[in-house]
Amino acid sequence: MINFEALEAQLDTLQHSYLAAQPFPHLVIDNFCDTQKLERAYASIPELSNKSRDYAFANNKFEKSNYRELGPELMELYQDLSSDRFNKILCHITAKKVFVDPKNHGGGLHQGKKNSFLDMHLDFNYHPLQKNWYRELNLLLYLNKDWKPEYKGGLVIKDLRTNEQTELDVPFNRLIIQQCAPYTLHGYYMTNFPEGRFRTSIATYAYQVHEHLIETPRTTDWFPGKDASVMKKLLAKNYNFLVQTKNKFFGSGTAKNQ
């Protein structure tokens, strides 16, 4: 499914582009997959009904973690993303020893319906189950057929240290590799897709093993806009504590979006 040969033929160029990107390391790869296979994969995706657990910070966003069961092409994609061959490519691009979580905990198929949005946020840093796995990368494969800028929903990335930000287009068969760090904010503004069309992506995460934890483990940190309600800002401020308390007594619900 993945166009491995094309990636391997330009590893040094990809590495330079990733490391030199602003406002923080990221990389845009077009034609990431075999187009015909990816189109068949897209055709196998139904309208999802399992709503995201992002609560007040996302609107009309739906998820399915176990997307590989939807068809052979999506199974092939899942296997390619967690393969040793792809891990080696990621290690070269990032100049770090990284690997894709083979169980893709917290990742999966994401579908934004009418007026969908996702507030700016920092993702969880350490894996909820593998406590010394540090999240280094978001890998976001976009499946937006015939996407146009006026549909909105581009990936907004912002450096929390400098407030510098940019917005990246999200057309079909584009992979965006984005560094995860304590300052790598990202999200997307409210979409304007045509009726019956959804903002569609597949999220995969890559990690590095830490012998010593370098940060306090956290869940998602939310940064709602200045116009957000007082209640939303209060929820964002206390989100980590509330989620960690809930997980302590009831366990994590992240892996239940099957």
Side-chain angles (χ1 to χ4, degrees):
M1 174 70 82
I2 294 176
N3 287 323
F4 283 113
E5 291 81 5
L7 297 176
E8 291 163 344
Q10 52 177 334
L11 284 176
D12 289 342
T13 300
L14 294 174
Q15 182 191 69
H16 176 77
S17 296
Y18 172 80
L19 295 175
Q22 297 296 326
F24 53 76
H26 68 274
L27 180 64
V28 173
I29 302 175
D30 287 320
N31 300 311
F32 177 68
C33 291
D34 178 282
T35 301
Q36 291 184 339
K37 286 185 176 181
L38 195 62
E39 287 179 345
R40 291 198 297 271
Y42 176 76
S44 71
I45 297 173
E47 182 174 352
L48 303 183
S49 58
N50 199 359
K51 201 162 190 178
S52 165
R53 287 180 170 83
D54 293 328
Y55 304 103
F57 307 107
N59 182 60
N60 232 7
K61 182 170 173 280
F62 294 77
E63 302 177 348
K64 181 176 178 60
S65 62
N66 193 20
Y67 65 86
R68 57 185 171 176
E69 69 180 13
L70 295 176
E73 289 82 15
L74 287 169
M75 172 63 82
E76 183 180 350
L77 174 62
Y78 185 97
Q79 292 172 337
D80 278 0
L81 286 169
S82 58
S83 66
D84 289 342
R85 189 176 185 182
F86 189 55
N87 283 337
K88 289 178 182 177
I89 290 171
L90 291 178
C91 289
H92 193 103
I93 289 173
T94 61
K96 293 182 178 180
K97 293 182 179 179
V98 296
F99 58 92
V100 168
D101 175 6
K103 295 186 177 180
N104 202 23
H105 183 91
L109 178 64
H110 295 169
Q111 201 175 72
K113 300 184 185 180
K114 186 176 178 63
N115 295 332
S116 169
F117 66 79
L118 183 63
D119 281 335
M120 300 297 282
H121 62 283
L122 299 175
D123 291 312
F124 66 80
N125 51 1
Y126 284 101
H127 194 288
L129 304 178
Q130 307 294 334
K131 301 299 186 180
N132 65 334
W133 288 13
Y134 183 79
R135 185 162 163 178
E136 285 282 351
L137 302 172
N138 286 343
L139 310 169
L140 305 171
L141 176 61
Y142 290 96
L143 305 176
N144 299 314
K145 293 284 289 183
D146 303 316
W147 181 84
K148 300 176 182 178
E150 53 263 37
Y151 294 171
K152 302 182 181 178
L155 178 66
V156 180
I157 58 174
K158 180 177 181 178
D159 191 317
L160 189 58
R161 302 167 299 182
T162 64
N163 278 337
E164 181 184 356
Q165 75 173 44
T166 191
E167 186 170 359
L168 305 172
D169 290 347
V170 290
F172 187 78
N173 204 3
R174 168 170 287 184
L175 180 77
I176 296 178
I177 300 176
Q178 175 223 308
Q179 181 193 35
C180 290
Y183 48 83
T184 56
L185 287 174
H186 54 285
Y188 64 89
Y189 302 129
M190 185 175 288
T191 60
N192 186 36
F193 276 63
E195 195 68 33
R197 299 271 296 277
F198 311 128
R199 184 188 190 274
T200 307
S201 62
I202 290 176
T204 305
Y205 310 133
Y207 295 83
Q208 183 182 62
V209 173
H210 282 183
E211 293 300 324
H212 303 283
L213 303 194
I214 61 170
E215 297 174 17
T216 300
R218 66 166 188 272
T219 60
T220 307
D221 272 352
W222 294 99
F223 293 77
K226 295 179 181 179
D227 296 334
S229 68
V230 173
M231 286 299 296
K232 191 173 189 178
K233 291 177 180 178
L234 185 63
L235 178 59
K237 184 178 180 180
N238 294 282
Y239 187 81
N240 258 285
F241 172 76
L242 294 171
V243 172
Q244 289 173 347
T245 301
K246 186 270 294 182
N247 290 349
K248 181 178 179 180
F249 291 101
F250 301 105
S252 172
T254 303
K256 297 178 182 178
N257 291 336
Q258 297 296 316

